[in-house]
Amino acid sequence: MKDGFIKVAAVTPRVYVAAPEKNVKEMVERAEEMAAVGVKLLVFPELSITGYTCGDLFLTHVLLQGAKEALYEYLYRTAELDLVTVLGMPLSHYGQIYNTAVVVSGGKVLGVVPKTYLPNYKEFYEMRYFKSGEPDMGEIMLGEDAAPIGTRLIFEDTWIPEFSFGVEICEDLWAPGTPSSEHARAGALIIANLSASNETAGKAAFRRNLVVGQSGRLACGYIYANAGEGESTTDLVFAGHNMVAENGRLIAETLPFDDNKALITEIDLSHLLSVRHHLKAYPTITDTQSEGYRKMVFDIGAPRETILTRNYSRLPFVPSDEQKKAERVKEITHIQVAGLSKRISAIGCKDVVIGLSGGLDSTLALLVCAAAFDKLGLDKKGIHAITMPCFGTTDRTHDNAVKLAQEIGANFREINICESVRQHFRDIGQSEDVHDVTYENAQARERTQVLMDIANQVGGLVVGTGDMSELALGWATYNGDHMSMYGVNASVPKTLVRYLVRYYADTAESEGLKAVLNDILDTPISPELLPPKDGQISQSTEDIVGPYELHDFFLYYLLRTGATVEKIMRLATRAFEGEYDEETIRHWLNVFIKRFFSQQYKRSCLPDGPKVGTVGLSPRGDLRMPSDADASLWLIQ
C-alpha cells in the first residue's frame, strides 16, 4: 500500500444455482489466489453464495440456512488471509429476507449491507422475495457473533484510514439517489458494487458509463463485480462484466463473456484524497455522525509495498484513444478559438500580431488565429505574422515560417533584428562574442518589443505562443516571449502541442500546408538564440532542460494527482521502462522540481489565456503559489 495504492479485485466465480456449499468452495479458492498476489479488497457478485437466479427458492428455509452454513465455512477457511471480502447472500432478519452484501475479514463479519432499491420490472422481481434495507437495522446474529446491519456502514482500515469503502448492490447504482453518493459524503474513497446485471445488446456500454460516471461524480474508486457463468439461463444470460473505475476513468475491465473473470488492479487512494481536498461537497466528521453512519474497523496488517500492474501512459496529456483523437482535437481547438475570439470581440479589433519562428508553438498559435478569424468572419490579412531572424535563425525555420504564413493567408512581414540587437549591445556594453544569458534574452525582448509596437500600429493585440511546459520550467525570457496580450497556448503542454500540430498536418486539405507542418514537426525544438553550426540548429532545448515527455509526465502527476516526488519517480520508472534508466529520470525530476519552484515568479504575472485541460498554471485560477517557496522538501534523493 506504498504511495497510496491498494490492490483490489472484482471476481466472478463459477456459480452453482442454489448450491451454497459448492459456491463457497469456489469462492475460497479464488480468495486464496487473490491474497497470494496481494489483493486487499475482494468483491464478489450479488448473491454469490447462492446464485442470483434462485427464484422462489429464496423463500425456503433450506436455502437460507444453507447460505449461512456456507458463510461460516468461508469465514473459517479465509480467516488467515490478509484481505477484506465483500460477498453476496440472502439473509433473514426479523421475519424479512434481505438481499445483502456481507463484509468479512479475519474470520469475522464486519457488517451487513442490505440492498436499498429492489427492481420489480420485466425480468426482475426481487420484491417478490426481498425487502428493501434501511439505514440502521440494529444487529444480526451470524453464528456466535452479532454484526451491524444497515445501509449506512463505512469500513475502514486501522493502518491506513484512507482505505475506507462503502457498499451498494446492483440496482442501487441505477437509482436517482444512490447509496454510494451518501457513502462518499461520509468519507468512503472506494465503493464496492455487487451486481447481477444480465446481458442485452448495448447494455454493457450503458453499464460502463454508469460506473465510470459515478466514480467521477464521487471522486472515488468504484469496483463493480457482476454475475456470470453458471447462473440460470432460463430467461436471462449473465456475462461477468467486471470493472474498476477511478475518478471518472475506467482503469480495468473484463469484457462480457471474457473467459478471465478475475479483474485485478490498483486504486490510487492518495490521488482520490488529493481530489477530495479540492472539493467542498463532503461534510465534517460531526456532519457524518449526524447522518447516522457507523464506522466498522478492520485490520489486514501493516502497509506493504503494492506491486503495480496498472499501465501509465508516457504522455498523460495526450489522448490515448485513437478513435476519439479527432473529437479531442476539436474540443481543444474550440476552447482556444473561443477564448481568442472573445478577446478580439471584446477589444473591438480586427487585427492580431504573432511572432512566427517556424517552430511548433508559434505554428499552433497561428493555426488558432486562422480558425478564430474564420469564426469571426474576419479577413486573414488581419493576422500579422512577423518573423524576426537574428543570430541563431536557420534557413530551415525561416523558410518554414514564410511558407506557413503564405499557406494560412496571413499578412506576412520579415523584420531582421540583428542590427537592433547589436545597437542594444553597444548601449549596454555587451560583447556580441559573449554568448551568455544577456546575449540570448536581448533577442527575445527585442522581438517582443517589435510585436507590441506593431500591435499599436495596427490597433490589434499580440497573441502569445509559449506553451505550458515552458512556463512550468520557466523556459521563457521574462518580459520577452513570456509576455503577450493573450496566450492561446498557455495551458497546452509541449507534448500536446506536437500532437495537435500532427493532427492538423494529417488532416490538412492543402498539400503545401501538410508539407510545411510535417517539416516543422521534424525540426528540433530550439529557441535559436545561439549562432548555427554549419547552417544547422546548434541549441537543442531538450539537451539543456531535459526531455519534454518526462517534464510533462512530472507536471501532470505533481499538479493533477498531488503525487509525492517519490511516487512520481516510481510511476515514471514504470512508464518509461526501456527508454530512460532510473538515474536519468531522477536527474531530470530534480531539474524539473528546482526549475518549477524557482521560476514561479514568471507565472505569477502571466497574460490571460484559456484553460484547455485539467492542469493549468494561471495565477488567477489553478496555481496560487508563492514565488519564493523552498523546493527542498520536494527534491528526490
Side-chain angles (χ1 to χ4, degrees), residues 24 28 68-78:
V24 161
V28 167
K68 275 191 177 182
E69 295 297 332
L71 171 65
Y72 303 152
E73 178 69 11
Y74 186 88
L75 292 173
Y76 174 73
R77 296 279 301 278
T78 62

Side-chain angles (χ1 to χ4, degrees), residues 47 49-50 58-60 63-72 87-104 109 111-115 129-131 137 139-143 147-150:
L47 295 167
I49 280 185
T50 59
F58 284 126
L59 300 172
T60 67
L63 185 62
L64 294 175
Q65 187 59 33
K68 275 191 177 182
E69 295 297 332
L71 171 65
Y72 303 152
L87 51 84
M89 65 181 293
L91 279 173
S92 175
H93 184 58
Y94 288 114
Q96 298 292 331
I97 304 173
Y98 296 89
N99 177 347
T100 73
V102 181
V103 181
V104 306
V109 175
V112 178
V113 180
K115 190 172 185 176
Y129 322 115
F130 305 120
K131 182 176 174 56
M137 299 163 59
E139 293 185 330
I140 183 171
M141 292 301 300
L142 293 171
I149 179 170

Side-chain angles (χ1 to χ4, degrees), residues 364-442:
L364 178 59
L366 180 60
L367 292 168
V368 171
C369 288
F373 271 58
D374 285 339
K375 176 182 174 67
L376 295 171
L378 297 176
D379 186 347
K380 289 194 183 71
K381 290 302 179 182
I383 302 174
H384 301 266
I386 316 297
T387 190
M388 293 165 279
C390 199
F391 310 130
T393 304
T394 61
D395 290 341
R396 182 179 186 181
T397 54
H398 171 271
D399 293 346
N400 279 339
V402 175
K403 293 174 185 176
L404 182 61
Q406 292 172 342
E407 289 292 334
I408 294 298
N411 186 345
F412 178 74
R413 186 174 175 184
E414 180 175 329
I415 301 174
N416 191 302
I417 63 169
C418 288
E419 287 307 313
S420 298
V421 174
R422 288 190 176 107
Q423 178 61 52
H424 180 60
F425 285 166
R426 288 193 291 271
D427 291 342
I428 66 172
Q430 170 76 19
S431 171
E432 189 178 334
D433 297 327
V434 178
H435 297 169
D436 58 6
V437 66
T438 304
Y439 176 90
E440 295 186 29
N441 286 348

Side-chain angles (χ1 to χ4, degrees), residues 101-244:
V102 181
V103 181
V104 306
S105 182
K108 302 288 185 181
V109 175
L110 301 177
V112 178
V113 180
K115 190 172 185 176
T116 299
Y117 296 99
L118 302 175
N120 199 44
Y121 56 92
K122 297 180 181 179
E123 65 268 37
F124 297 107
Y125 303 99
E126 288 190 35
M127 286 186 181
R128 180 179 176 93
Y129 322 115
F130 305 120
K131 182 176 174 56
S132 296
E134 298 175 8
D136 188 348
M137 299 163 59
E139 293 185 330
I140 183 171
M141 292 301 300
L142 293 171
E144 298 179 355
D145 297 319
I149 179 170
T151 60
R152 295 199 169 184
L153 299 180
I154 294 292
F155 303 89
E156 183 179 291
D157 182 30
T158 56
W159 293 87
I160 305 180
E162 294 82 9
F163 180 15
S164 61
F165 67 93
V167 181
E168 65 184 2
I169 303 174
C170 197
E171 188 77 7
D172 291 346
L173 175 60
W174 270 256
T178 62
S180 54
S181 298
E182 296 303 315
H183 299 339
R185 279 176 48 80
L189 280 177
I190 297 175
I191 302 297
N193 187 316
L194 296 75
S195 181
S197 177
N198 70 304
E199 291 307 314
T200 56
K203 190 173 183 181
F206 185 81
R207 186 190 298 126
R208 184 183 300 112
N209 288 338
L210 278 177
V211 169
V212 173
Q214 191 73 343
S215 76
R217 278 187 293 274
L218 305 182
C220 72
Y222 200 102
I223 308 169
Y224 186 90
N226 196 16
E229 183 183 2
E231 289 287 0
S232 172
T233 58
T234 300
D235 292 301
L236 308 172
V237 170
F238 298 84
H241 185 197
N242 297 333
M243 293 170 278
V244 176

Side-chain angles (χ1 to χ4, degrees), residues 79-92:
E80 301 302 318
L81 301 182
D82 292 333
L83 54 69
V84 181
T85 304
V86 189
L87 51 84
M89 65 181 293
L91 279 173
S92 175

Side-chain angles (χ1 to χ4, degrees), residues 222-539:
Y222 200 102
I223 308 169
Y224 186 90
N226 196 16
E229 183 183 2
E231 289 287 0
S232 172
T233 58
T234 300
D235 292 301
L236 308 172
V237 170
F238 298 84
H241 185 197
N242 297 333
M243 293 170 278
V244 176
E246 179 185 285
N247 194 35
R249 297 179 62 185
L250 185 69
I251 60 174
E253 177 182 29
T254 58
L255 295 174
F257 303 106
D258 191 336
D259 290 337
N260 179 19
K261 295 306 179 186
L263 180 64
I264 305 171
T265 189
E266 299 82 41
I267 290 176
D268 189 346
L269 297 177
S270 62
H271 172 211
L272 295 173
L273 196 59
S274 176
V275 174
R276 292 272 183 95
H277 285 162
H278 289 83
L279 302 174
K280 303 304 177 189
Y282 299 94
T284 63
I285 294 176
T286 303
D287 294 331
T288 301
Q289 291 171 342
S290 69
E291 291 176 357
Y293 267 89
R294 289 179 287 174
K295 183 181 295 183
M296 314 312 300
V297 178
F298 58 89
D299 183 352
I300 53 175
R304 294 187 293 273
E305 182 167 346
T306 301
I307 298 175
L308 298 182
T309 60
R310 286 176 63 171
N311 293 320
Y312 289 88
S313 171
R314 295 178 177 181
L315 306 175
F317 289 108
V318 176
S320 56
D321 188 343
E322 286 296 317
Q323 293 181 344
K324 296 182 179 178
K325 181 177 180 179
E327 179 183 340
R328 183 64 62 85
V329 170
K330 289 178 181 177
E331 288 175 347
I332 295 170
T333 301
H334 285 325
I335 293 170
Q336 290 179 287
V337 170
L340 180 58
S341 298
K342 170 64 177 178
R343 184 53 51 92
I344 291 172
S345 298
I347 293 174
C349 66
K350 296 183 179 180
D351 295 82
V352 296
V353 179
I354 181 171
L356 199 58
S357 67
L360 281 171
D361 292 342
S362 63
T363 294
L364 178 59
L366 180 60
L367 292 168
V368 171
C369 288
F373 271 58
D374 285 339
K375 176 182 174 67
L376 295 171
L378 297 176
D379 186 347
K380 289 194 183 71
K381 290 302 179 182
I383 302 174
H384 301 266
I386 316 297
T387 190
M388 293 165 279
C390 199
F391 310 130
T393 304
T394 61
D395 290 341
R396 182 179 186 181
T397 54
H398 171 271
D399 293 346
N400 279 339
V402 175
K403 293 174 185 176
L404 182 61
Q406 292 172 342
E407 289 292 334
I408 294 298
N411 186 345
F412 178 74
R413 186 174 175 184
E414 180 175 329
I415 301 174
N416 191 302
I417 63 169
C418 288
E419 287 307 313
S420 298
V421 174
R422 288 190 176 107
Q423 178 61 52
H424 180 60
F425 285 166
R426 288 193 291 271
D427 291 342
I428 66 172
Q430 170 76 19
S431 171
E432 189 178 334
D433 297 327
V434 178
H435 297 169
D436 58 6
V437 66
T438 304
Y439 176 90
E440 295 186 29
N441 286 348
Q443 299 172 66
R445 292 195 178 100
E446 178 63 23
R447 288 185 170 117
T448 300
Q449 175 179 260
V450 170
L451 295 175
M452 292 289 181
D453 290 342
I454 292 176
N456 291 158
Q457 285 182 329
V458 301
L461 61 86
V462 176
V463 175
T465 62
D467 64 60
M468 185 167 67
S469 304
E470 293 177 343
L471 292 172
L473 293 164
W475 190 248
T477 299
Y478 193 88
N479 206 34
D481 53 318
H482 154 262
M483 190 49 58
S484 68
M485 297 173 183
Y486 196 75
V488 293
N489 295 338
S491 67
V492 184
K494 184 74 76 178
T495 50
L496 184 55
V497 170
R498 178 175 292 279
Y499 172 82
L500 294 171
V501 174
R502 174 69 67 189
Y503 179 81
Y504 279 112
D506 291 343
T507 58
E509 295 181 1
S510 162
E511 289 300 320
L513 180 58
K514 185 188 295 286
V516 69
L517 290 178
N518 280 324
D519 196 59
I520 290 170
L521 285 161
D522 292 338
T523 303
I525 299 172
S526 172
E528 290 196 315
L529 296 173
L530 297 180
K533 292 181 179 178
D534 301 322
Q536 302 299 314
I537 292 173
S538 64
Q539 189 180 22

